[in-house]
Each structure stands twice: as C-alpha cells, then as structure tokens.
Amino acid sequence: MGKRPYFFISIFFILFFFFCPALICLAAGTSGAIILKQTSGARPLGMGEAFVALADDVNALNFNPAGLACIRNHEISVMYLDSLVDSWFGFIGYALPLGGNVEKQVGTRKFKSKKTRTNRGTIGLGFSIFQAGEMVLEPEGDTVQAEQDYLANLGFGYAIWRSGEEVEKGRQRVRATSELGNEISLGVGIKFVHSTLVQKYSAMAYAVDVGMLGKFIVGKNRLQIGIAGQNFGTKIKFEEEGDSLPLTVRAGASYRMAFKQEHIFTISGEAVKPNDADFRGDTGMEYWYREIFALRAGYKIGYDIDSFTCGVGFAWRNFQLDYGWGMRTTKMGDNHRFSLTARF
C-alpha cells in the first residue's frame, strides 16, 4: 500500500476512538419502545449478535447502517422469531445497490452481480412487527394485547474510500464475499416507531442511527472494525410523560480467514452499551464450507437472560436459509429464529 491508504486508515481509527467514548457518555437513562431493542436475522443470533463489525447483509439496518455499502446484489430477507412466552417478532428487509449489473460466465452457470468497485452506495428498507402477548385487565377481566409495536427503517450506506477501483478478476460468488482491498464506509438510518399498549394507548417516535465500518486487508485475511450509535430521537409519549428511546452504542471487530478458497472462518466480538443497562459483550464465530453450508456459535456476556447461541445456514443458488437458537438462563423459553434470504 502507498501513503494514501495509510492516511485514510489513520483517520478511521482517530474517528473511531473519538466518537466511541462520546456516544457512550450519551447512553445513560431509562428507555421505552421494546421493538427498538430487538435485532433481526437468524445469522446474527447464531453468532451471538456480534454483528456491528460484520454487517454485510440487509440485517445491517438493525446493527450498523454503514454495512449496507457491503451489499453488491439486490437482497430480500424475511425473519420470524419465536420469543418469550407467547410474544413474537417479525422482520422483512430489502437492499437496493446503486450500480449497474454485470454478468459473468462461471462454468455452465451465469451469475449476476453488482460491479464490486463501482456501486459505492446501497439503500436499505425494513419493516418490523413485535407482539408482546396477551394479558388480562383487572377488574374488567378483558383479554387484550399487552403491546404491539411497528417499526419502519430507511437506511443508506456509502463507501467514502476504497484502496482500489478495479473489478476483481478472480472467482465471483452470489454471496459477494470476495471483495478485495481496503474500504471505509459511513451509514445513516431513519426509523419510525408506532407503539400501542393494551389496545388503548398509542404513541409514535422518530429515531436516527449512524454507523462507520472499516475493512482492511491483513495478508490474505480481512480485518473489519465497526461502530454504531442507535436510536437518537424523540421520546415515545403515551400520555403526559414520555420515555426516551433505547439509545445504544455498539463497537467491535471481526477477522475473516480463508483457507484454500473452500473454508471461510470468521470470528467477531463487540461491546454494547445500552442507556438503561451496564456494558455487555457479544462474541461469535462463523464457518462456511464452499459458501454452501455454515456453522455458527456465540456467547453473550452481561445479559439478564441470554447466554449461548448457535446456528446453521444453507446457501443454494440465489437463496440462503438460516436458523439461529439462543439459550435462555430462565424457564421462559429459548429463542428460535428462522430467516430466508434471496439475492438477485
């Protein structure tokens, strides 16, 4: 690398270590809007939700919007989460890269993918629903929905710097995991939240997420560092008094290693600081065999009820099916997430 890449890498680390403590100082207090505390994707759950420095699919909307810039194909993903007691959470997301198509012939099959060095920006759209289960009102005895939340996301990730602009000449994969070179991306997300309590009281709020992601080549491997500040916004107000949104700061790193172009192993870790809890830690790993089959495992530190996680993934043509399981330390039931993703 020349002097210019080192200059941009230095700027990234300066910004990283400056903004991280500043965001942590802001993350203090209590919060409402449960849906903003939910994350999306079976794949991130399998990795212990250590995803802020990976964020290479549409789930970046809920972890680090800067990661949207990593997406090279149109991508649609749906997820269902069977959560505590009778509550559930659903998510659907779509990523739209801003760039032209290029078609490459690989054997007897054709793969369509984005020009990996020309489309710098990607738009992400997401919609989530959270149902908190039923409860009985006293003294009426009526059964009502305890809480019902809706969340709409609009995100944009843009690569502000890359060390090379040439299109890769090597093998091309649908999952687009073969980008080479150093890269720094910024992202922003806008959120709209609508919440209803006991089918009677309603409130709305608006929030903004900001993120930064750096990808650096280390020998034949890749180091990624990410930071995100989530849920800067208005209070959610049902009557006279309002609650602050769950401001959260995420910062972490991931390291990707490839062996003989058949085995891809990634480890990831991050620190999480919510405004209504102490520091937490997420760690995880992911192993892909020929980009067809994946195994994942993770561990969450400092959470009240979450601990060990694991998951699997299967990729076939333009489709990917993921399952994630999160073990609970209580008898309230484990987490089970299912995700289906299509890329075209």
Side-chain angles (χ1 to χ4, degrees), residues 52-53 55 59-68 210-213 226-228 230:
V52 70
N59 294 302
L61 280 168
N62 293 305
F63 287 92
N64 185 353
L68 291 171
V210 293
M212 181 167 52
L213 182 66
I227 181 173
Q230 299 176 295

Side-chain angles (χ1 to χ4, degrees), residues 187-205:
V188 61
I190 301 173
K191 297 178 176 179
F192 169 76
V193 184
H194 183 276
S195 180
T196 302
L197 298 179
V198 296
Q199 301 179 200
K200 183 178 180 181
Y201 306 101
S202 297
M204 295 184 297

Side-chain angles (χ1 to χ4, degrees), residues 282-295:
D282 299 331
T283 60
M285 58 76 64
E286 178 182 57
Y287 165 75
W288 275 96
Y289 175 70
R290 292 190 174 181
E291 300 183 8
I292 297 174
F293 173 71
L295 291 174

Side-chain angles (χ1 to χ4, degrees), residues 90-308:
F91 168 78
I92 180 170
Y94 171 64
L96 172 65
L98 304 179
N101 285 325
V102 60
E103 188 170 299
K104 284 182 174 292
Q105 182 77 32
V106 181
T108 60
R109 297 174 57 188
K110 291 183 179 180
F111 294 92
K112 288 185 177 180
S113 64
K114 292 299 175 183
K115 292 182 179 179
T116 58
R117 298 306 175 188
T118 58
N119 63 299
R120 287 176 172 265
T122 301
I123 297 174
L125 300 172
F127 183 75
S128 306
I129 301 177
F130 175 75
Q131 299 277 6
E134 296 181 343
M135 63 179 295
V136 178
L137 295 179
E138 299 293 345
E140 297 87 351
D142 298 331
T143 301
V144 298
Q145 195 77 42
E147 182 172 350
Q148 183 171 318
D149 295 347
Y150 298 94
L151 170 64
N153 289 33
L154 172 62
F156 178 67
Y158 187 79
I160 60 172
W161 171 76
R162 285 186 176 133
S163 62
E165 296 295 330
E166 69 279 0
V167 177
E168 184 194 350
K169 300 299 183 180
R171 68 190 185 104
Q172 189 75 17
R173 292 292 187 180
V174 175
R175 293 188 65 249
T177 58
S178 56
E179 299 93 338
L180 298 177
N182 303 299
E183 178 177 304
I184 295 177
S185 303
L186 298 178
V188 61
I190 301 173
K191 297 178 176 179
F192 169 76
V193 184
H194 183 276
S195 180
T196 302
L197 298 179
V198 296
Q199 301 179 200
K200 183 178 180 181
Y201 306 101
S202 297
M204 295 184 297
Y206 304 90
V208 174
D209 294 352
V210 293
M212 181 167 52
L213 182 66
K215 300 165 60 176
F216 310 108
I217 300 302
V218 181
K220 296 181 179 180
N221 304 319
R222 185 169 69 201
L223 171 67
Q224 297 188 189
I225 300 174
I227 181 173
Q230 299 176 295
N231 308 320
F232 298 93
T234 63
K235 290 186 175 182
I236 187 162
K237 188 175 182 180
F238 289 94
E239 291 186 326
E240 294 183 359
E241 296 185 1
D243 292 324
S244 299
L245 299 181
L247 177 61
T248 304
V249 179
R250 297 176 177 270
S254 67
Y255 193 72
R256 176 182 178 273
M257 297 164 281
F259 305 95
K260 297 182 180 180
Q261 296 185 345
E262 293 184 351
H263 309 279
I264 300 176
F265 184 73
T266 303
I267 56 175
S268 184
E270 70 180 63
V272 183
K273 179 59 178 76
N275 66 335
D276 54 2
D278 294 330
F279 270 97
R280 297 170 175 175
D282 299 331
T283 60
M285 58 76 64
E286 178 182 57
Y287 165 75
W288 275 96
Y289 175 70
R290 292 190 174 181
E291 300 183 8
I292 297 174
F293 173 71
L295 291 174
R296 306 180 182 104
Y299 192 79
K300 308 181 73 174
I301 305 169
Y303 292 79
D304 294 333
I305 57 178
D306 295 313
S307 57
F308 175 74

